[in-house]
Amino acid sequence: RRRLDELTVGLPSRSRQQIWWPFTQHGTLPGDAPTVVDSRWGEHWCVVSPSSPSPSPSSSSSIHSIQTLYDACSSWWTQAATSDLQGGLSAVLAAAASRYLHVMFPAIAHAPAAAAAAGLVEGPGKDWATRVFFSDNGSTAIEVALKIAIRAYISEHQQSHCDVSSSSSSSS
């Protein structure tokens, strides 16, 4: 009950005042937003349900409970593995975060990154990939991949940056 009280008393309003959600139109948030997550397992979050009035007329408190809610957001990047693998993946990630905290990758390597790269090159990248890169999110990964592709094109066609832009402007 204490944990539930901590999640419901003030947390939603404090969050609305102190957190900016970059993929949310704040002016259209419903009054009970945000969804308060207690935990997650498999494909679901355990969330605080909307409050309902207490059945006791002498009590002015609300009743809250924890309900499961399908996690449709995290599939963007965390649900690539099946739900059977998520527990092990979580344990490995927790161990890596504990040991390395945050490691950027400009010419830096560690054993888990090398093992992940080998698994990707020998697995999904077999017969076409020789290297991989790591990024913190999908949009940055796309940006990096496009920059790599543009640099490879320039290198293969032996053009300078200026040649690429001037050839495209002269063909218009």
Side-chain angles (χ1 to χ4, degrees), residues 40 59 64 84 87 125 156:
R40 180 180 183 282
S59 172
H64 296 276
D84 294 341
E156 288 173 13

Side-chain angles (χ1 to χ4, degrees), residues 41-141:
W41 182 253
E43 306 292 325
H44 293 83
W45 288 328
C46 294
V47 300
V48 176
S49 71
S51 62
S52 58
S54 173
S56 167
S58 62
S59 172
S60 62
S61 67
S62 296
I63 296 175
H64 296 276
S65 64
I66 300 290
Q67 295 179 332
T68 59
L69 179 67
Y70 180 72
D71 180 359
C73 295
S74 293
S75 61
W76 293 340
W77 63 281
T78 61
Q79 291 181 332
T82 67
S83 58
D84 294 341
L85 298 175
Q86 288 178 14
L89 181 59
S90 295
V92 169
L93 291 172
S98 174
R99 182 170 183 160
Y100 301 106
L101 190 57
H102 179 74
V103 176
M104 298 291 289
F105 273 98
I108 293 175
H110 51 67
L120 290 167
V121 168
E122 295 163 9
K126 188 171 178 65
D127 299 326
W128 67 271
T130 58
R131 292 189 288 178
V132 301
F133 68 89
F134 297 102
S135 179
D136 62 335
N137 63 66
S139 60
T140 304

